[in-house]
Amino acid sequence: SSTVMPDKDAMVAIKEIQDIAREGMINAITFDITIKSHDQVWVENGLGNFENLVEHSHVACLKNKFCNSSVIIVSPGPSLEKNVELLKEVKGKAIIVAVSHSLEFLKAKNIVPDVVIHVDPADLKKLYSKKNGKEISHYDDWIDGGDVSNIPRFVISNYSAPNLFRSPFENILWMSPGLPIGEFLPEDSFNYHRIGGSVSHSAFDIAIEWGCESVALIGQDLAVSKKGDIYSANAAI
């Protein structure tokens, strides 16, 4: 058997091939599930956002504008509760980018993020959850439930619900987190070929696009707490 079994180097190569194949299958399954879940919504939102994309700036307009800045990306994982006080200390010293699910938690702690990002195609006005025994839409909970006009930038997707482009934030920008839409836009305007993942990945992507010098992550431990909690307490679900 020693003459037909692969040697040590060959086994390493086989292991690498197995890892690549496994990763490819997982990505394919994940992508397929995502498409089947949101394909119709993507089409409807994309067609409904043509005018919005013309009227609002793309995130690439701020490319390399923050080269000497640090950024903290805030996600709603359970560890956010342990680190939220640190955000108060660095406010004004670093750019705080909050994914939308962590916005309510930050507002409860009187922390105003510099950027809020939401790339999910779902219409927040049609998503409801119970709060204090009452059903309330996520839009009302996150946006109308408190003044967001003092938040400098709200970043959404070209596939986001069209009504989000009318949210009362100070400035609204858009990005393409799912498909390389930059390939279809004028090269002399900007070159943007990002293919994002989760909203946290998209936030990290923006930080790199904007040229931030250093990036810190808070609350990235989603769904891994011992209690089985998906998000930190009071974070929107």
Side-chain angles (χ1 to χ4, degrees):
S1 61
S2 62
T3 59
V4 296
M5 291 297 292
D7 57 23
K8 184 177 180 180
D9 292 337
M11 288 300 296
V12 172
I14 292 174
K15 178 65 165 57
E16 292 177 351
I17 293 173
Q18 288 176 331
D19 291 341
I20 293 173
R22 183 180 297 106
E23 181 180 359
M25 286 187 289
I26 292 174
N27 290 339
I29 293 171
T30 302
F31 192 57
D32 185 57
I33 292 174
T34 301
I35 290 177
K36 289 180 179 178
S37 300
H38 301 295
D39 55 355
Q40 186 65 33
V41 177
W42 279 346
V43 173
E44 292 176 357
N45 290 352
L47 292 174
N49 279 331
F50 284 150
E51 292 184 8
N52 292 327
L53 303 188
V54 174
E55 294 174 357
H56 293 81
S57 298
H58 192 280
V59 292
C61 70
L62 296 175
K63 184 175 182 178
N64 295 328
K65 297 295 185 180
F66 301 96
C67 292
N68 296 319
S69 302
S70 298
V71 63
I72 300 175
I73 297 173
V74 183
S75 296
S79 65
L80 173 57
E81 298 175 50
K82 300 177 182 179
N83 298 284
V84 68
E85 294 301 322
L86 297 176
L87 292 176
K88 295 180 180 180
E89 298 178 15
V90 300
K91 176 63 179 175
K93 302 176 183 178
I95 300 171
I96 298 177
V97 177
V99 307
S100 56
H101 287 73
S102 64
L103 178 57
E104 184 181 1
F105 185 92
L106 295 182
K107 287 195 298 184
K109 298 293 183 178
N110 295 317
I111 298 174
V112 179
D114 301 294
V115 181
V116 173
I117 176 170
H118 177 80
V119 297
D120 195 292
D123 188 342
L124 297 183
K125 290 189 175 182
K126 296 180 180 180
L127 294 178
Y128 287 83
S129 59
K130 283 192 174 182
K131 186 175 183 181
N132 297 326
K134 297 181 179 179
E135 279 197 344
I136 184 171
S137 76
H138 284 203
Y139 185 93
D140 295 331
D141 202 14
W142 298 352
I143 298 176
D144 284 352
D147 185 16
V148 297
S149 61
N150 59 342
I151 297 177
R153 295 177 181 87
F154 183 40
V155 176
I156 52 182
S157 164
N158 53 303
Y159 297 114
S160 292
N163 58 54
L164 285 180
F165 281 89
R166 297 186 291 275
S167 303
F169 289 83
E170 188 174 330
N171 294 287
I172 295 178
L173 300 91
W174 64 275
M175 68 178 297
S176 176
L179 294 173
I181 195 172
E183 295 179 359
F184 306 101
L185 298 173
E187 194 73 23
D188 56 353
S189 297
F190 52 80
N191 183 13
Y192 196 80
H193 301 280
R194 302 286 193 221
I195 301 179
S198 70
V199 64
S200 297
H201 291 130
S202 296
F204 186 86
D205 209 24
I206 289 175
I208 300 303
E209 181 77 11
W210 289 352
C212 295
E213 188 176 61
S214 59
V215 181
L217 306 174
I218 289 181
Q220 286 292 326
D221 55 329
L222 302 174
V224 296
S225 73
K226 293 181 179 179
K227 296 179 182 180
D229 298 327
I230 297 177
Y231 293 155
S232 57
N234 300 317
I237 298 179

